[in-house]
């Protein structure tokens, strides 16, 4: 049995943190909608990693981290939701990352193009897109992380890509038109 | 392999996600189709663009903070609710204020202790004394806030901080688990690297201000069950083998280690039970306004409505030989249950309708004979959750209709565009779903669009699908805003449908809403009457429900029921794909209406029976022959499944029971017409043609061939698994030996070919429920 305090483990956890802290934070923040809570989630994730025997995680460390992180983030987010439905009278919207058009407009200047496009996707599509293209996970890994079926993951990515493609096309056209007008 | 440009497999191929064999097939298909080639190129370009752009998204860093300060925390609390709405912001700041007040109550000790933590830590490193062994604890603020707030709403009296801490301890991982009693454990749970990084989270044992915390601490070390996998639990688990792989972690049961001090275990268990109860109660209150709620605030805050459901009980066949109900093809409950479980919570009992779970799946029943709208078949075998009982499965399958043979359709999309529809999984999802449907329609089909919000309007007059771009553009232009006047919109939609009525065609209003009717005809009864009245015009209704919190499940179900229709809940685009594309004909083309089932049981063979589910579809025995009584529709290719659990003669059944009668003897059997009949029951069906007014009767005697469970068909096993799952979710008193494990076994055995993958998804869902039950 490995003990967490072993020197080898410490190095290993340190390396994992170096490499994955940022990506996990980005990921958790998408779920919790709040960086501070994301920080707690990620810290918690690494704490759990300390208790793991690293030889057994070899090869699927990233998958393990994202899985644990996701579950923890969802837990945290759920707690927030529970609170809201108790103390709010008129909260019709779920406490997810849904952004109203007004908020989107406000953020337009500060957020990048890709973020704006992502924000128009349903939450589940956004998540798999980030896992796939930001974190380089395979369909298989995404399926295991999110507990969605492989087919479902494929469908979500397919649909998301189709939407993004369409939007990019539309924007190009728009840009071309306005360019012409400006001439 | 034939691949359309719009096939998920093509995307998988473009991204290199197919295995060798499939990839080779796909490559061939792509070779042949220029459209596919183009699509693959575009997909790859988009994917590359995404990769590059997303890589540029800055990675946040966790700041290395050592000194916690009070003020920033309070601010953070305000930020917790990410809404832009000012009203909400006000509520949030009140909440934050309340939280601050409470912090004042319980936190000073905590903060003081925290400030000491670096010194203690240093001391700890220098001389490893077990009593100041350090346990990691995540910043507890959000949790504390949640729970304190709950308590505030529950009891307006000054909060007693004592019960708070155990609750917090048990609900949040690692929090307050600082073990003075961890002598035998290795000192550092805490990894060096972690310490450097997250030093601010250090908490010595002394930081526990209240005795409740100590109780929790002891109890946890004693190996009580922890509500969530926590660091400590895992640490204990090392004695039993550390759950290392992801799968193991997911399913790891609560671990227990040899108790170092058994005396505090009962105390912990009691506390845990109390917590569980309060958690459950809070949840019930949240979802079920019909529950008894002590707090008026809480009651008014509830907007998602699930009607309470009284389960069918066992009825003695002698006194109640007839069981009558209407068929049901709704599937909404399953999608809704799936949403809850995927979010990691159990659905409220009222949201679980077993018949809708059963009918979410298609079963491989034989096709209907020529000239008949549906086939009827039955199967009897052992009841898996009660080996002494028998299970009867009744299955109907609507006649299949070739996609091309769909009669011309006249659809009116009635779309709720009120403010509540704004989130992505509402109006935007509906728009995508309807566009998907329109793309599948043919030039002989017509579509009109009616929207309703504060006012209603015809956005698009009935338009032939020869002009799809026009329809697609109209859908695209829909925007949400305003309040909801459902009544007026419904009237306009039906008027439009009647105006463009296609005789012999499919005439249907497709209502898309979160069901939150709040202006106009507000009373549900009035709305139902309106729909009932409109249904007589021969226009059918499909209700597509979206949204979560203020979703009116009951309203939607009733509308579809009364409006000659079906009701589906769309939680994802994939679900829309299933309901509107894969099962388009089933959803949209009714092939028989007012389908009623009446079963007459033979008391010589059946002591008692119970219809599983269909609580909302029960009819009176005399309604069966009454053609004015409305019942369910069956769509093309739809399968409908119903299960009866049967107690054989001599079997006992737990029923409330009545006193024996004084003036007549009920216990002695009256003359049974044919006591030698081998028949178990007679199944009678009535239905009308979609445009007919008089019903036709079908009769099928059913004999119990004594089939063992192992001989039952796959579909039988799978349906039994689904019913068993439904009973577990409802915590039904009739669930017998049902357990999630057995549901999994049953469903696995009965999975069959499962071409669409829905049964695999079911297995996944059961797995989740199981984890939720055992793991938390």
């Amino acid at each position: 049995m490995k003990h967490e305090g072993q020197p080898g483990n410490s190095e290993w956890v340190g390396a994992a943190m170096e490499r994955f802290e940022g990506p996990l934070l980005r990921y958790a923040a998408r779920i919790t909608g709040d960086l501070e809570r994301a920080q707690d989630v990620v810290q918690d994730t690494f704490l759990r990693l300390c208790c793991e025997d690293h030889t057994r995680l070899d090869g699927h460390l990233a998958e393990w981290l994202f899985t644990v992180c996701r579950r923890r983030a969802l837990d945290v987010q759920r707690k927030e939701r529970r609170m809201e439905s108790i103390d709010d009278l008129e909260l019709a919207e779920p406490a997810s990352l849904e952004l109203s058009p007004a908020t989107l407009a406000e953020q337009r200047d500060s957020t990048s193009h890709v973020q704006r496009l992502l924000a128009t996707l349903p939450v589940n599509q956004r998540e798999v897109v980030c896992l796939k293209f930001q974190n380089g996970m395979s369909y298989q890994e995404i399926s295991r992380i999110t507990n969605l079926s492989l087919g479902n993951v494929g469908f979500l990515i397919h649909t998301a890509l189709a939407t993004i493609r369409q939007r990019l096309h539309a924007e190009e056209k728009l840009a071309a038109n306005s360019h012409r007008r400006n001439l | 392999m034939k691949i359309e440009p719009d096939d998920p497999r093509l995307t998988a191929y473009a991204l290199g996600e197919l295995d060798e064999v499939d990839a080779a097939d796909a490559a061939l298909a792509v070779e042949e189709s220029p459209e596919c080639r183009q699509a693959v190129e575009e997909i790859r370009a988009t994917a590359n663009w995404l990769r590059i752009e997303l890589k540029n998204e800055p990675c946040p860093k966790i700041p290395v903070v050592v000194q916690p300060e009070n003020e920033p925390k309070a601010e953070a609390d305000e930020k917790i609710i990410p809404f832009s709405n000012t009203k909400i912001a006000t509520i949030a700041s009140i909440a934050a204020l309340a939280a601050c007040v409470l912090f004042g109550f319980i936190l000073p000790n905590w903060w003081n202790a925290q400030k000491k933590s670096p010194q203690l830590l240093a001391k700890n490193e220098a001389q490893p004394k077990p009593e100041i062994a350090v346990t990691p604890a995540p910043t507890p603020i959000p949790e504390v806030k949640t729970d304190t707030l709950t308590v505030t709403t529950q009891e307006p009296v000054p909060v007693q901080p004592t019960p708070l801490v155990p609750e917090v301890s048990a609900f949040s991982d690692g929090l307050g688990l600082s073990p003075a009693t961890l002598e035998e454990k290795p000192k550092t749970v805490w990894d060096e690297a972690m310490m450097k990084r997250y030093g601010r989270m250090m908490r010595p044992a002394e930081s526990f201000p209240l005795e409740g915390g100590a109780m929790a601490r002891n109890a946890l070390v004693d190996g009580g069950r922890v509500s969530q996998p926590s660091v400590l639990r895992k640490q204990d688990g090392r004695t039993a083998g550390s759950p290392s792989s992801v799968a193991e972690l997911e399913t790891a049961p609560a671990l227990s280690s040899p108790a170092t001090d058994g005396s505090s275990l009962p105390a912990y268990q009691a506390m845990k039970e109390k917590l569980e109860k309060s958690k459950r109660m809070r949840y019930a209150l949240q979802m079920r306004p019909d529950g008894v709620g002590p707090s008026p605030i809480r009651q008014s805050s509830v907007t998602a409505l699930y009607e309470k459901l009284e389960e069918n009980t066992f009825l003695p066949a002698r006194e109640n030989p007839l069981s009558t109900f209407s068929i049901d093809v709704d599937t909404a409950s399953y999608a809704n249950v799936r949403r809850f479980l995927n979010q990691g919570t159990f659905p409220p009992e009222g949201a679980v309708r077993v018949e809708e779970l059963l009918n979410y799946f298609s079963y491989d029943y034989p096709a209907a004979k020529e000239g008949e709208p549906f086939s009827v078949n039955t199967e009897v075998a052992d009841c898996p959750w009660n080996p002494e009982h028998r299970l009867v499965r009744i299955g109907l399958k609507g006649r299949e209709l070739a996609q091309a043979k769909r009669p011309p359709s006249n659809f009116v999309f009635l779309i709720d565009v009120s403010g509540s529809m704004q989130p992505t999984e509402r109006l935007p999802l509906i728009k995508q779903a309807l566009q998907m449907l329109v793309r599948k329609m043919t030039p002989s089909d017509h579509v009109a669009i009616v929207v309703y919000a504060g006012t209603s309007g015809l956005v698009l007059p009935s338009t032939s699908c020869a002009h799809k771009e026009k329809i697609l553009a109209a859908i695209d232009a829909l925007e949400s805003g305003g309040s909801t006047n459902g009544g007026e919109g419904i009237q306009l939609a039906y008027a439009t449908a009647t105006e463009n009525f296609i005789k012999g065609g499919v005439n249907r209003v497709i209502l898309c809403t979160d069901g939150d009717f709040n202006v106009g005809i507000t009373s549900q009864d009035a709305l139902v009457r309106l729909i009932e009245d409109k249904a007589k015009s021969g226009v059918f209704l499909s209700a597509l429900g979206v949204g979560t919190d203020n979703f009116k499940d009951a309203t939607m179900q009733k509308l579809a029921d009364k409006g000659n229709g079906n009701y589906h809940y769309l939680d994802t685009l994939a679900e829309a794909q299933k309901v509107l594309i894969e099962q388009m004909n089933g959803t949209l083309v009714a092939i028989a209406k007012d389908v009623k089932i009446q079963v007459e049981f033979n008391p010589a063979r059946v002591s008692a029976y119970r219809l599983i589910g269909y609580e909302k579809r029960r009819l009176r025995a005399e309604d069966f022959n009454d053609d004015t009584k409305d019942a369910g529709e069956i769509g093309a290719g739809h399968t409908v499944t119903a299960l009866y659990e049967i107690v054989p003669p001599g079997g006992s059944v737990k029923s409330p029971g009545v006193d024996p009668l004084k003036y007549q003897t009920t216990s002695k059997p009256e003359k049974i017409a044919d006591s030698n009949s081998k028949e178990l029951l007679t199944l009678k069906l009535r239905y009308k043609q979609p445009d007919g007014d008089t019903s036709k009767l079908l009769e099928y005697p059913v004999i119990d061939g004594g089939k063992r469970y192992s001989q039952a068909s796959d579909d039988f096993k799978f349906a039994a698994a689904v019913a068993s799952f439904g009973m577990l979710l409802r915590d039904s008193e009739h669930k017998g030996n049902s357990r999630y494990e057995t549901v999994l076994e049953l469903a696995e055995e009965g999975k069959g070919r499962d071409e669409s993958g829905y049964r695999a998804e079911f297995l996944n869902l059961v797995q989740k429920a199981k984890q939720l039950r055992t793991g938390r």
Side-chain angles (χ1 to χ4, degrees):
Chain A
M1 260 331 130
K2 283 241 166 215
H3 283 186
E4 306 79 4
Q6 283 181 354
N9 229 12
S10 164
E11 217 167 273
W12 172 65
V13 171
M17 270 167 23
E18 186 83 5
R19 181 162 159 221
F20 289 109
E21 189 192 68
L24 284 173
L25 271 174
R26 266 192 318 214
Y27 180 61
R30 277 191 190 284
I31 297 174
T32 60
D34 175 290
L35 188 58
E36 203 163 279
R37 268 175 285 155
Q39 289 175 353
D40 290 346
V41 166
V42 172
Q43 288 173 357
D44 212 6
T45 307
F46 284 117
L47 277 172
R48 286 172 193 201
L49 185 65
C50 295
C51 307
E52 292 299 320
D53 178 351
H54 71 265
T55 53
R56 295 177 65 175
L57 286 184
D58 269 352
H60 56 274
L61 173 64
E63 189 193 313
W64 186 94
L65 284 170
F66 276 89
T67 310
V68 173
C69 175
R70 177 176 198 269
R71 244 196 353 260
R72 188 75 192 105
L74 286 174
D75 275 347
V76 168
Q77 191 214 12
R78 250 191 315 276
K79 255 173 218 158
E80 292 311 314
R81 274 197 197 190
R82 191 161 63 211
M83 185 193 74
E84 277 155 22
S85 53
I86 287 168
D87 66 34
D88 292 340
L89 305 183
E90 304 171 58
L91 275 195
E93 289 166 291
S96 59
L97 283 177
E98 298 310 336
L99 299 172
S100 70
T103 325
L104 281 177
E106 275 169 33
Q107 296 190 345
R108 194 143 294 169
D109 297 326
S110 57
T111 13
S112 72
H113 187 194
V114 66
Q115 293 303 331
R116 285 202 310 273
L117 275 175
L118 279 185
T120 63
L121 295 179
V123 180
N124 52 359
Q125 290 184 24
R126 209 183 301 162
E127 188 185 6
V128 294
V129 163
C130 286
L131 284 172
K132 173 83 195 131
F133 299 111
Q134 190 162 48
N135 301 300
M137 301 285 178
S138 71
Y139 280 23
Q140 284 282 2
E141 286 167 323
I142 297 173
S143 156
R144 284 193 294 260
I145 291 170
T146 57
N147 251 342
L148 295 168
S149 71
L150 202 57
N152 208 340
V153 170
F155 181 81
L156 288 173
I157 288 186
H158 167 77
T159 313
L161 277 182
T163 312
I164 292 175
R165 243 161 76 198
Q166 243 174 18
R167 298 246 155 88
L168 286 175
H169 274 309
E171 282 171 14
E172 257 168 45
K173 226 185 257 172
L174 210 71
N177 284 344
S178 71
H179 183 64
R180 218 174 296 140
R181 262 202 307 278
N182 288 342
L183 288 178
Chain B
M1 177 151 82
K2 175 102 180 72
I3 291 194
E4 299 285 340
D6 189 38
D7 188 327
R9 281 179 304 176
L10 197 67
T11 304
Y13 167 73
L15 299 176
E17 288 280 357
L18 290 182
D19 63 33
E20 264 174 60
V21 181
D22 286 346
D25 280 353
L28 274 177
V30 169
E31 200 58 42
E32 279 163 24
S33 152
E35 290 97 316
C36 285
R37 274 206 302 274
Q38 161 105 19
V40 166
E41 262 167 42
E42 284 186 23
I43 291 166
R44 286 188 178 145
T46 314
N48 278 336
W49 181 79
L50 273 174
R51 274 192 203 106
I52 294 164
E53 292 292 315
L54 285 173
K55 201 154 276 169
N56 288 338
E57 185 183 351
C59 274
K61 279 269 164 210
I62 296 185
V64 188
V65 188
V66 183
Q67 292 297 321
E69 284 165 67
N70 217 341
E71 286 86 334
K73 284 289 166 204
E75 268 171 37
D77 281 330
E78 227 167 310
K79 266 187 276 168
I80 279 177
I81 302 177
F83 286 97
S84 54
N85 189 320
T86 47
K87 212 185 290 169
I88 293 162
T90 318
I91 296 168
S93 35
I94 293 168
L97 199 69
C100 290
V101 171
L102 284 162
F103 285 155
F105 245 90
I106 52 168
L107 287 185
N109 277 342
W110 193 87
W111 289 124
N112 289 339
Q114 261 239 316
K115 279 184 184 145
K116 275 187 245 152
S117 99
Q119 293 98 296
L120 284 166
L121 195 63
K123 206 167 137 201
N124 182 28
E125 276 179 321
Q127 21 175 223
K129 274 187 196 163
E131 61 271 20
I132 45 169
V134 178
T135 303
T139 316
I141 302 307
E143 278 94 358
V144 172
K145 181 172 174 253
T146 309
D147 290 311
T148 40
L149 271 180
T150 310
V151 175
T152 340
T153 43
Q154 224 166 9
E155 316 161 16
V157 287
V159 179
Q160 306 151 351
T162 323
L164 280 176
V165 169
E167 176 158 12
V168 167
S169 322
F171 279 172
S172 47
D173 290 357
L175 172 66
L177 309 181
S178 217
T181 33
L182 264 179
E183 286 93 345
E184 279 100 21
K185 312 283 173 195
K187 161 186 77 90
T188 4
V189 175
W190 193 234
D191 191 276
E192 250 176 75
M194 295 293 292
M195 206 156 74
K196 263 183 237 152
R197 194 80 184 87
Y198 309 134
R200 69 178 167 122
M201 302 191 311
M202 296 282 129
R203 275 178 65 197
E206 287 90 314
S207 69
F208 251 92
L210 301 158
E211 52 173 274
M215 183 171 78
R217 244 178 293 154
N218 292 335
L220 277 162
V221 175
D222 287 344
R225 294 158 65 92
V226 187
S227 59
Q228 285 166 1
S230 73
V231 176
L232 259 190
R233 195 190 90 187
K234 248 183 294 85
Q235 191 195 11
D236 287 345
R238 273 185 293 109
T239 52
S242 162
S244 288
S245 78
V246 175
E248 266 176 80
L249 188 81
E250 295 262 10
T251 48
L255 299 157
S256 57
S257 70
T260 46
D261 171 16
S263 60
S264 55
L265 192 63
Y268 174 68
Q269 282 301 344
M271 181 189 78
K272 178 107 171 67
E273 260 170 47
K274 211 171 111 204
L275 287 172
E276 275 296 314
K277 214 182 278 173
S278 77
K279 204 162 94 184
R280 231 177 290 141
M281 177 137 97
R282 213 178 310 152
Y283 187 67
L285 281 167
Q286 206 183 103
M287 299 315 299
R288 295 228 320 239
D290 53 334
V292 205
S295 145
I297 301 175
R298 204 134 9 118
Q299 278 191 333
S300 61
S301 74
V302 170
T303 49
L305 285 179
Y306 296 100
E307 249 175 40
K308 211 175 157 202
L309 208 62
E310 284 295 336
E311 257 191 305
N312 289 332
T313 53
F314 277 100
L315 294 171
R318 198 170 303 284
E319 286 84 30
N320 302 279
L322 293 176
S323 168
T324 314
F325 64 100
S326 149
I327 65 151
D328 180 18
V329 292
D330 296 353
T331 62
S333 178
Y334 182 82
N336 205 15
V337 163
R338 177 176 59 198
R339 174 174 65 82
F340 274 105
L341 290 174
N342 280 335
Q343 285 172 359
T345 46
F346 278 103
E349 284 170 20
V352 183
R353 292 186 291 272
V354 178
E355 71 279 14
E356 296 189 18
L357 307 193
L358 280 173
N359 288 324
Y360 184 86
F361 303 94
S362 331
Y363 302 89
D364 197 14
Y365 302 148
K369 286 193 208 103
E370 193 59 40
E372 282 179 10
F374 50 80
S375 71
V376 180
N377 68 93
T378 54
E379 187 172 357
V380 190
D382 288 336
C383 175
W385 55 85
N386 196 336
E388 279 156 29
H389 292 179
R390 307 286 290 165
L391 196 63
V392 178
R393 188 203 56 177
I394 298 169
L396 311 187
K397 182 177 174 70
R399 194 180 60 233
E400 295 276 4
L401 202 64
Q403 196 79 358
K405 276 202 180 154
R406 188 164 44 83
S409 308
N410 157 36
F411 288 151
V412 178
F413 297 160
L414 172 55
I415 305 168
D416 180 350
V417 292
S418 60
S420 64
M421 290 288 284
Q422 199 180 61
T424 352
E425 76 279 6
R426 300 193 188 181
L427 188 59
L429 174 65
I430 286 286
K431 283 162 72 170
Q432 279 175 291
L434 292 179
Q435 287 180 329
M436 217 156 60
L437 175 63
V438 169
R439 289 199 188 96
K440 287 273 171 191
M441 297 177 74
T442 57
S444 58
D445 300 326
H446 282 73
V447 168
I449 301 175
V450 174
V451 296
Y452 65 93
T455 52
S456 316
L458 188 63
V459 171
L460 181 78
S462 195
T463 304
S464 158
C465 285
H467 309 288
K468 277 189 191 167
E469 332 72 61
K470 211 167 149 187
I471 303 173
L472 292 174
I475 295 175
D476 216 31
L478 296 172
E479 273 176 30
S480 57
S483 56
T484 320
N485 184 348
E488 205 180 299
I490 285 172
Q491 265 159 336
L492 183 57
Y494 273 100
T496 313
T498 334
E499 247 170 60
N500 301 287
F501 199 87
I502 302 177
K503 216 165 176 273
V506 177
N507 298 282
R508 194 174 278 273
V509 169
I510 299 174
L511 168 64
C512 311
T513 178
D514 55 12
D516 197 8
F517 300 97
N518 57 12
V519 190
I521 304 179
T522 40
S523 118
Q524 204 191 54
D525 287 342
L527 201 60
V528 168
R529 273 200 302 278
L530 175 78
I531 291 264
E532 217 169 359
D533 188 47
K534 297 293 178 192
K536 292 188 186 125
S537 62
V539 176
F540 288 73
L541 178 76
S542 285
L544 304 179
V546 289
T548 50
D549 333 19
N550 62 348
F551 178 59
K552 300 289 190 289
D553 186 59
T555 316
M556 298 288 278
Q557 202 214 2
K558 209 166 275 178
L559 289 183
D561 183 18
K562 297 296 173 194
N564 277 347
N566 47 43
Y567 160 41
H568 303 275
Y569 176 76
L570 306 185
D571 51 348
T572 57
L573 201 57
E575 183 63 16
Q577 165 96 7
K578 173 182 186 280
V579 169
L580 292 176
I581 307 297
E582 280 171 41
Q583 299 171 2
M584 182 180 189
N585 286 338
T587 308
L588 302 174
V589 185
I591 53 163
K593 69 174 179 184
D594 294 345
V595 184
K596 301 169 190 170
I597 293 180
Q598 187 164 66
V599 178
E600 183 185 344
F601 290 95
N602 177 1
R605 305 268 161 202
V606 177
S607 147
Y609 64 87
R610 183 174 102 83
L611 174 60
I612 302 171
Y614 290 91
E615 279 83 3
K616 302 218 157 200
R617 306 284 164 165
R618 271 179 309 201
L619 296 172
R620 292 178 305 166
E622 55 269 34
D623 290 344
F624 184 66
N625 290 331
D626 184 347
D627 280 351
T628 65
K629 291 285 185 251
D630 180 69
E633 288 67 48
I634 186 166
H638 255 159
T639 55
V640 179
T641 301
L643 297 173
Y644 277 101
E645 185 176 343
I646 283 183
V647 185
S652 63
V653 60
K654 209 180 74 202
S655 76
V658 287
D659 295 329
L661 292 181
K662 197 170 161 190
Y663 304 111
Q664 52 178 317
T665 47
T666 45
S667 55
K668 287 278 162 254
E670 295 133 49
K671 191 91 181 132
I672 291 169
D674 179 7
S675 57
N676 290 328
S677 169
K678 286 207 168 62
E679 290 172 17
L680 184 71
L681 55 87
T682 295
L683 170 64
K684 296 185 287 180
L685 286 129
R686 276 193 179 278
Y687 70 91
K688 295 176 194 159
Q689 294 296 338
D691 50 359
D693 287 327
T694 46
S695 65
K696 206 181 151 201
L697 176 70
L698 304 170
E699 270 193 59
Y700 305 87
V702 177
I703 292 172
D704 184 352
K707 220 187 231 181
R708 302 267 57 108
Y709 168 70
S710 53
Q711 301 163 302
S713 68
D714 285 352
D715 278 344
F716 184 95
K717 289 176 182 168
F718 190 79
V722 175
S724 181
F725 183 54
M727 289 191 291
L728 280 167
L729 290 178
R730 295 186 49 83
D731 195 20
S732 162
E733 58 170 311
H734 303 294
K735 66 183 178 203
N737 306 335
S738 297
R739 277 167 43 241
Y740 289 112
E741 291 77 12
T742 48
V743 171
L744 283 173
E745 277 170 37
L746 271 174
E748 190 63 60
E749 280 176 46
K751 193 173 151 197
R753 276 175 313 178
D754 188 30
E755 278 157 3
S756 47
Y758 295 123
R759 295 189 179 192
E761 188 197 54
F762 173 78
L763 279 162
N764 206 333
L765 213 58
V766 179
Q767 205 46 272
K768 262 180 206 164
K770 188 180 141 203
Q771 280 160 23
L772 217 56
R773 174 67 75 226
T774 56
R776 316 200 78 236

